Each structure stands twice: as C-alpha cells, then as structure tokens.
Amino acid sequence: MIVNEKIALDLGLKKSEYKEICNLLNRVPNITELALFSAMWNEHCSYKSSKIHLKKLPTNGDKVIQGPGENAGVIDIGDNDAIVFKIESHNHPSFIEPYQGAATGVGGIMRDVFTMGARPIANLNSIHFGSTQHKKTKNLLRGVVHGIGGYGNCMGIPTIAGQTCFDDSYNGNILVNAMTLGLVNKNKIFYSKAAGLNKPVIYVGSKTGRDGIHGASMASAKFDDKIEEKKPTVQVGDPFTEKLLLEACLELMKDDSIISIQDMGAAGLTSSSIEMASKGNLGMELNLNKVPCRELNMTPYEIMLSESQERMLIILESGKEDKAKKIFDKWNLDFAVIGKTTNTNKIEIYFYNNKVVDIPIKFLSDKAPEYDRKWKKTKLPAKNKFGKEIYKNLKIIDVLKKILASPNICSKEWIWQQYDHTVMGDTIQKPGGDAGVVRVHGTNKAIAASIDSSADYCFAHPMTGGKQIVCESWRNMISVGAKPIAITNCLNFGNPEKEKNMGEFVECVQGIGEACKYLDYPIVSGNVSFYNETKDKGIKPTPSIGGVGLIKDYKKMISMGLSIVDNLVLIIGKTEGHIDQSIFAREILNQKKGPPPEINLFNEKNNGLTVLKLIDEGFVKSAHDISTGGLMVAISKMCINGNKGINIKKPDSLINYFEYFFGEDQGRYLIEIEKKDFKKVKSILEKNSVYFNEIGIIIEKNIILKNELDVTIDELSKKNKTWLIDFMSK
C-alpha cells in the first residue's frame, strides 16, 4: 500500500502531523510505520492536548510510592503493604458494544494493577447514560451492567462501590469508567521500564486476533451515523483467561526473573513495546513471525495494532526463559520469545526476514505532539432569585418522595446486586454507602474507596465543579472513618479542539488541583478521555474521581445507617440554603441555570478532620456526608439504611424550609452520637471552630417534622428502591 496524506488522515492523524512524521524520518513511512505513529500520537496514548495542564497537578505525598507515569499509582499503607490503583475509561467501545466494551474495560484496568505485582482486591465503576426517555438508554445500561458483572464476577474480584447517572448529554456518548485496587508488598512492585541489553522480550497470555484494531485511535475520535461500522474496533474479553494470566504472572513474580512488565492495552503490542523501551532509553527488536496468532495471514499492521485482550509483554533476565515457560505452560497460556532489547534506541520489527519497521523510539514517544490549545474561560453564572411564591404550593413530603424516586437519587441496588461484592470474604462495607470498604486480609487495616463525579456542577462552572468532586471524595472517605490518602482521576470531556470544551477541561483540572493540594490528597494515576461527542454534540464535562483512604482498625469503620433509638443526630457545617444546580431545582423547579454551591476548602478540611477525630475517639455511631439532594435526602438515606426514623427539630435558621432541607451547601456531614457524649462532642467541635446544630433524635420507623412531615421509613424506602427496578422491567 502506498502511504499518502489521505491514508494518514484516515488513521486519525492531522495533515501537520503527517508532514512532521515525514520530516522526522526524512522519508515517507510505510503503512505499518504509519500505523505505529497513529497509535502513539493519538490523544489516548500521547495526551497531546492535556499533558501541558496535567503537569500542574499535585502528585507527591508522604504516602505516595509511585505517581503518574506507570501502569497504576501506588500508596504506602504501612507494614510493608501498598495499594496499587487506577481508573480508566472505556467510553466509546461501551457505546458501540456495551457488554464487551464494559467487560474489557474492567479486564484492562485489572491488568494495569496486577502488572505491577498486586493482587486485585476490589473493583469500582462510574457509569453515565443518556436520558431515561432515550430509546437506547435501557439496553445500554443493561449491557454495560452485565459486562461489568460478567467480567468481575468471573475473575472473583468484588465490586464494592460505584456511581450511576443519567443525563441527556450522554444520549450519544455514554461513559464507562472502571477502577481497580490491588494489594502488594511494597518491596515487590514491578515496573514497565526496560533495562539491560539483549534481554529476551516475552509475549504471554492469549493469542493475537483482529479484534480491537484501531481501538486506541477510535477512543480519540468523534462519533457519527456510521457508529455501527466501528464494532470490529471493540475488543473481546475472556475473564477466565485473564484469571489464568493473573495467577501465572503473580507466580512468576515470586522470584527475580522479571526485569519489566507491561500489559498490552490500548494500541496493544505497539504501545507496550515502545513505552517499555522509551522508559529504559533502549531499543527493541521484534520478530512478528513468533507472535502467537489465532487468525491466518495476519499482517504486521494487524499484529502491532491488535488490542486482543489478556496479553502481557515481559522483559526477562537472560536464562530465565525455560523456567518462565513452564509456569505459563502450567496455566495453559501462550508463551513466546518474540524479540530482544538493543542499544539502537530504535523499534525494529521483522516479518518473514524483512525489516518492516525502523523508527527511533523517541520519534514515537518524545516527539509526539504537545498542544497548548486555545480555551475559553467559563463565567460564574448569576444566582437565581427564587421568590417565596414558587414554594407556595409545594409540600415537603411530595418533594421528598419525588426526589428519592428520581433517576439520579434513587437506589441503584438493581445494579450492584448483579455484581459479586462479597467474594474473597473481605468486603465489610457493601455498595450503597458513602464508600466501599475491604479489609486488608490478615490484618486490622481496611481500605475505603469511592468514585464520584458532578457533571452539572462542572458544566455550570468548571473550576468550582472540579473542586467539589475532590471534596466529595474526601467527605466519602471521612464518612466511613478512613483517612483520605490519594486519588485517581478519569477526565471525560468533549472535543478539545473546541475552545469551550478545552476551557472546561482546563478549569476543571485547575479546580481539582487546587482542592487536592489544599487537602493533601494527591493524584497518583489517571486517564484523559476526549472527543466524547456525537454529531458535534458533546457530553457535559465529567471528571470522575476515585478516592482511596485507610482505616487503621476496621472495627472503627462507620456506616450510614442510623443505629440506636434516642441517639442524637448532629449536622456538621453551616447550611446557607444553596438551591442553584441542586436536584431540587432541576426536578421540582425545572430550573437548570445558576452557579454551583461555593467551596470553602478551609471548612472542608477542618470539618472533615474534626469528624474523623470524633470517629477515631469512638463518639460517632453512624455518619453520612450531605451532598446531592441536600439535608433531607441525606437523613432519609440514613433512616432507610438503618431502618430507623428521626424526629427532626425545626431549624433555627431563617432560611426557607425547602432551601434549608434541599439546598446543596458543601462541607457538611450528619453524625449520630449518644446523648451522654453530647458535651464532649460539643467541646471538640467548638475547640476546632466547627459549626454544628442538633438536627433531631432517632425514633422508630417514621421521619417527623412537626406540622410538615410524618412518613414511614417503609414508604420512603419503597419510593427510593423501586424506580430503577420498574424502569428496567418495562
């Protein structure tokens, strides 16, 4: 095939990029070489539009062992234990083929984790779908959920937490973000940096097929009416093979055989080989005739770009080949020596004794474009002026029932019941709470993890929205009694070539960075997903934040369910009654304009650390952060989870009742304490200058607000739990 500009454009390269490739090589590349450039220079692999901004994020901390730049981030949790974790997107594949797209997203993120020597201990996910009225939403939701469950359940890894949202901005482009945590001895972490000359390059796992070719490029492309034609770019997963691969890799990792290891994810053999060589400042020579293929007559182009799943690339110490092969033979996996490291600083690829690729490594990695794209700043919207008349015909009970049954507030039990969240026997906080929690097996420690996004806030004002998501993650850790340690992020945005979209990205990243720095909550890994749009209609800016925290003694873990009648419930943090961008404004007032609630980072940190102190000293019996839906939704969920009621005190505030109970002011918590501890708790709160109020007393079965509300927990629970079940059964 004669390579020209048109072919380059078809592969997702820009005219200027193709010209630069020709200039670098001082010749026209052949089709295989051009394919390597198209893979390594796309957004998904090179971060060419985001790199300049990501560099500004805080990535260091006293618990950080490995930050961004590896397969996953690593944090120290003491006693030589470390947690490896990361979040990745699989948005485009999941929209095209929901089951396989979601399944291979889960499989891919688990490989990122066990590539580093960690055994996966928990999965999470953040999934976003279009309007519940859209014709595709129900089938997409069903396919994605079955794909996530099908892969994770077969692997025997619990899915402990998640998030599901609906919004019409995702009608043409759903989001599927998968997160995995793994446990590793901090002295047995494996990295992807190649080292040593003439070291054998080993291919292990499944055979290479034609599935997933151009998967990485497709992940950086816009959708149009021909979306169905892209199905061949979606990878096909086999969780049973991945389980074998996991065990084989961990067995090989028990000694000093492995120099470096990398999973074949986006761009397959291309990215894994080039990234390993680039990090080690080495060259690599590959013989594609030795690559195990499951289809006949595969070309070098197809072999290098295939994204067939369940594959790894390993650089071994010389002389360890036979020992390693025996392990992979035992697990019934392919094992092949396909090349060696060299001192040429080139990627050199042979096929039937012909050299089909001869490119300096740095041209594919260091010379990848880096764009400082133009961007447009988002102005803070003016506050809405809600007159008293808009509340005149509203009743709190009616509002509460409607919000509890709304798509973005209702219970997602229908979803998480399809995931195995108890396998491995260490899950101590199931899905549905502020964060999932798993014990560190054989110790008193536990790891908390949550995943959050807030597209409405980010769309209204990206800077504030970016801060809010980090703070929400922080509060979720605090609410279960965990010290927040670090986060991973998946940044889902539209077309970065549009100034508005790029501005949303830049300002969200700025907000995330500011909050992380202030809270000492560093970012250790992540992913950027651009071009989430169809027919030029992009998604709302949707950064997902995966938070991880440590509970030193799992017996001190806190759940959200109210526990004991006659205990007091306190609200921590001040209530101003911010209605703009709230669920109340959207669902009840049909108002989508206005600014998100303000973020006070001092209060977030101070309130959170003080609540954590109260938990650590044993005063808190249950807790829940106040977020989407406001105070009344938060207290209702605590009641539903604990099957207890509450007699709510009339607020002393002059704020309108609806604004007080449904406003989404930030930095707030609800905590349950015993009456006898009130003076001690009050003293600690006052000493730390934390604003608080007594909100009510726990009773049996009903939520009561004098002259305004008297409803059974059973009635609210039914409203909250049945909407999604009914939706999916129709």
Side-chain angles (χ1 to χ4, degrees), residues 87-126:
I87 186 173
E88 274 270 9
S89 63
H90 232 220
N91 304 334
H92 287 47
S94 299
F95 187 65
I96 298 167
E97 176 44 65
Y99 184 94
Q100 290 295 350
T104 52
V106 173
I109 195 63
M110 281 196 282
R111 286 196 303 280
D112 280 338
V113 167
F114 73 75
T115 298
M116 299 192 70
R119 179 174 291 279
I121 59 172
N123 288 332
L124 301 89
N125 57 78
S126 176

Side-chain angles (χ1 to χ4, degrees), residues 405-460:
S406 63
N408 288 326
I409 294 293
C410 74
S411 169
K412 304 305 187 297
E413 193 170 344
W414 180 88
I415 294 172
W416 56 257
Q417 278 190 337
Q418 298 181 59
Y419 307 147
D420 192 337
H421 52 271
T422 61
V423 65
M424 299 180 76
D426 286 317
T427 305
I428 56 176
Q429 182 98 253
K430 69 181 185 181
D434 286 302
V437 183
V438 290
R439 292 182 299 183
V440 178
H441 199 78
T443 75
N444 288 328
K445 296 179 295 191
I447 301 298
S450 71
I451 195 163
D452 300 283
S453 68
S454 187
D456 289 333
Y457 289 179
C458 291
F459 183 68

Side-chain angles (χ1 to χ4, degrees), residues 19-33:
K19 185 178 179 180
E20 178 63 14
I21 291 166
C22 294
N23 288 337
L24 286 170
L25 296 175
N26 201 28
R27 60 179 172 83
V28 175
N30 63 44
I31 187 62
T32 305
E33 291 174 325

Side-chain angles (χ1 to χ4, degrees), residues 550-605:
L550 174 66
I551 304 173
K552 289 185 177 180
D553 182 354
Y554 70 83
K555 294 175 184 174
K556 291 185 176 183
M557 182 196 75
I558 299 295
S559 297
M560 72 162 62
L562 297 178
S563 60
I564 300 172
V565 170
D566 260 1
N567 277 358
L568 299 178
V569 179
L570 306 183
I571 179 171
I572 307 298
K574 196 165 185 177
T575 299
E576 303 282 357
H578 187 99
I579 288 294
D580 288 325
Q581 295 301 326
S582 67
I583 286 287
F584 175 82
R586 292 175 176 277
E587 295 288 335
I588 307 301
L589 305 181
N590 196 31
Q591 175 59 260
K592 298 180 180 180
K593 296 180 179 180
E598 294 178 11
I599 304 297
N600 184 313
L601 292 174
F602 174 83
N603 286 343
E604 289 283 359
K605 190 173 187 176

Side-chain angles (χ1 to χ4, degrees), residues 642-654:
N643 197 29
K644 295 286 189 297
I646 184 170
N647 192 349
I648 301 172
K649 291 179 62 177
K650 283 194 172 185
D652 297 328
S653 171
L654 298 176

Side-chain angles (χ1 to χ4, degrees), residues 390-396 398-399 584 588-589 658 708:
I390 66 170
Y391 306 117
K392 189 167 67 175
N393 297 318
L394 297 178
K395 294 182 178 179
I396 287 180
D398 297 333
V399 171
F584 175 82
I588 307 301
L589 305 181
F658 293 98
E708 298 288 341

